[in-house]
């Protein structure tokens, strides 16, 4: 049997189209950069940058953008053997606006349906899924069929099959399975009013060993808004490790064995907060596979997320190990050159408030603890 992958992720992929200027309304932007995007795909890239053997299970359209994404995955060292094509739907595209340090509106183009929601259960290589040292799925994968059934089937395969009660299995015998809460109401029919969301999240949590999410996502999954209460609720739902990202307050991690780590963010001059959470995820997997204690894992993942927040892109911004170690040693992320803003350009649309308008480079602020929104 081939050597198991260190990390297999499953779910979203798309093309990120980002302005090459900050503080400029999208209607006024005339220069863009094109990047690989989609949270689980970015997590696979982040893991590969840190030396992990990674692969992603996803789908693109049968179009030039799909070809671009597969090429990018290969360039980043991510195995694309499970990246299929869906002729019926175009490859998704996502635009954003950049208003550092904390306002990055996203505009998703995933209609009539995203190809990555067309993953079927019978297309999965469940042997590879079972064998992977870490398997990573997201809440978006539960938002529509057939992806929903495929996602739950893959999670179930990690427990040993139907009838296995994960919580009754010794922790050391449970393979590391991460459920990234990844709450995107615009991807769900009826959004926040959908009565199935919490039930589906609970089903996924019962099959996972690690849950990762920001406070809003934790509230959707558990009904708890306070960080420690949310972490306890995630543990009660079945996971062994609950990771609650708290934006500028850093990250809280609570393990079933009683270990608690609350880690502040590294200071960083934010350029684009999108993708910080994906870097955090890849570094989280790296630390878990290395067998580090929980606090060290969180500090390392925090630093990786902060580095990406200091850069424009998501995928190509993922740090290498030496960069993470350097940031940790300095106690901050070295400032990257600021993107140009329009010195006398039009003011942002009032709907963007409280975003800053065009002007000087963003002030140095704490990173989002790796909890920036993920494209």
């Amino acid at each position: 049997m081939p050597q198991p992958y260190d990390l297999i992720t499953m779910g979203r992929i798309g093309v990120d189209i980002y302005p090459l200027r900050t503080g400029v309304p999208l209607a006024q932007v005339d220069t863009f950069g094109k990047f690989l995007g989609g949270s689980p795909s970015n997590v696979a890239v982040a893991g590969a940058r840190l030396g992990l053997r990674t692969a992603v299970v996803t789908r693109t359209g049968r179009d030039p953008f799909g070809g671009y994404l597969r090429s990018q995955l290969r360039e980043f060292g991510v195995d694309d053997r499970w990246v299929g094509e869906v002729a019926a739907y175009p490859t998704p595209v996502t635009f954003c606006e950049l208003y550092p340090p904390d306002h990055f509106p996203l505009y998703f183009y995933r209609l009539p349906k995203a190809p990555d929601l067309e993953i079927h259960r019978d297309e999965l290589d469940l042997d590879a899924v079972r064998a992977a040292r870490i398997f990573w799925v997201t809440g978006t994968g539960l938002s529509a069929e057939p992806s929903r059934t495929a996602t739950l089937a893959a999670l179930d395969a990690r427990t040993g099959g139907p009838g296995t009660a994960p919580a009754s299995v010794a922790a050391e015998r449970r393979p590391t399975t991460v459920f990234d809460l990844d709450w995107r109401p615009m991807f769900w029919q009826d959004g926040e009013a959908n009565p199935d969301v919490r039930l589906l999240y609970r089903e996924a949590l019962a099959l996972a060993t690690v849950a990762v999410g920001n406070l809003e996502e934790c509230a959707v999954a558990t009904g708890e808004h306070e960080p420690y209460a949310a972490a306890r609720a995630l543990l009660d739902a079945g996971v062994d490790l609950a990771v609650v990202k708290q934006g500028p307050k850093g990250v809280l991690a609570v393990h079933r064995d009683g270990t608690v780590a609350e880690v502040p963010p590294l200071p960083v001059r934010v350029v684009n907060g999108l993708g910080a959470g994906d870097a955090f995820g890849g570094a989280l997997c790296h630390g878990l596979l290395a067998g580090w204690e929980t606090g060290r894992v969180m500090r390392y993942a925090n630093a990786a997320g902060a580095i990406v927040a200091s850069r424009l892109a998501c995928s190509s911004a993922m740090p290498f190990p030496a960069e993470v170690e350097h940031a940790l040693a300095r106690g901050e992320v070295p400032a990257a050159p600021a993107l140009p803003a329009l010195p006398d350009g039009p003011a942002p649309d009032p709907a963007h408030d409280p975003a800053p308008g065009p002007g000087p480079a963003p002030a140095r602020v704490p990173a989002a603890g790796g909890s920036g929104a993920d494209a």
Side-chain angles (χ1 to χ4, degrees), residues 24-297:
V24 182
L26 196 58
Q28 303 298 325
V29 176
D30 56 7
T31 309
F32 295 88
K34 179 181 68 176
F35 308 96
L36 179 148
S39 183
S41 300
N42 281 335
V43 169
V45 171
R49 280 278 171 94
L50 297 173
L52 304 184
R53 182 169 180 252
T54 70
V56 60
V57 181
T58 189
R59 300 289 181 268
T60 71
R62 188 170 295 166
D63 52 34
F65 276 152
Y68 163 76
L69 293 174
R70 292 188 295 277
S71 173
Q72 284 289 284
L73 287 170
R74 293 191 294 269
E75 284 190 26
F76 288 128
V78 178
D79 195 324
D80 69 335
R81 70 180 59 195
W82 296 304
V83 181
E85 293 181 334
V86 178
Y89 302 117
T91 299
V93 176
T94 302
F95 287 85
C96 81
E97 292 176 303
L98 303 177
Y99 293 102
D102 58 4
H103 190 60
F104 306 99
L106 283 168
Y107 302 88
F108 293 95
Y109 293 82
R110 290 170 58 88
L111 296 175
K113 186 179 185 182
D116 53 59
L117 293 175
E118 282 292 299
I119 302 172
H120 291 256
R121 183 191 186 284
D122 59 7
E123 297 172 337
L124 297 175
D125 185 342
L126 292 178
D127 288 336
V129 168
R130 290 187 192 97
R133 298 175 70 195
I134 296 182
F135 181 61
W136 178 291
V137 299
T138 76
T140 295
L142 302 175
S143 65
E145 293 288 6
S147 172
R148 179 180 301 155
T149 293
T151 299
L152 293 173
L155 287 171
D156 191 58
R158 298 284 288 178
T159 72
T164 303
S168 68
V169 180
E172 63 270 17
R173 289 166 46 203
R174 297 178 66 187
T176 301
T177 305
V178 183
F179 180 44
D180 176 2
L181 303 182
D182 186 40
W183 169 240
R184 301 284 185 179
M186 70 286 290
F187 297 164
W188 291 74
Q189 183 178 0
D190 299 325
E192 297 179 18
N194 190 314
D196 297 328
V197 172
R198 187 166 296 175
L199 293 174
L200 289 166
Y201 270 56
R202 299 285 292 189
E203 188 173 352
L205 287 166
L207 298 169
T209 64
V210 180
V212 181
N214 61 32
L215 283 172
E216 179 188 5
E217 293 166 336
C218 290
V220 169
T222 68
E224 299 288 351
H225 296 265
E226 193 277 325
Y228 281 89
R232 288 192 295 270
L234 292 170
L235 295 178
D236 289 343
V239 302
D240 297 323
L241 176 64
V243 180
V244 182
K245 296 183 285 188
Q246 304 177 76
K249 292 184 179 180
V251 62
L252 168 69
V254 181
H255 197 280
R256 184 176 297 280
D257 66 9
T259 301
V260 176
E262 191 158 14
V263 178
L266 285 183
V268 59
R269 191 174 191 166
V270 175
V271 173
N272 183 2
L274 303 173
D278 303 333
F280 181 99
L284 169 69
C285 294
H286 174 74
L288 292 174
L289 290 174
W292 297 342
E293 54 88 15
T294 302
R296 182 181 178 187
V297 174

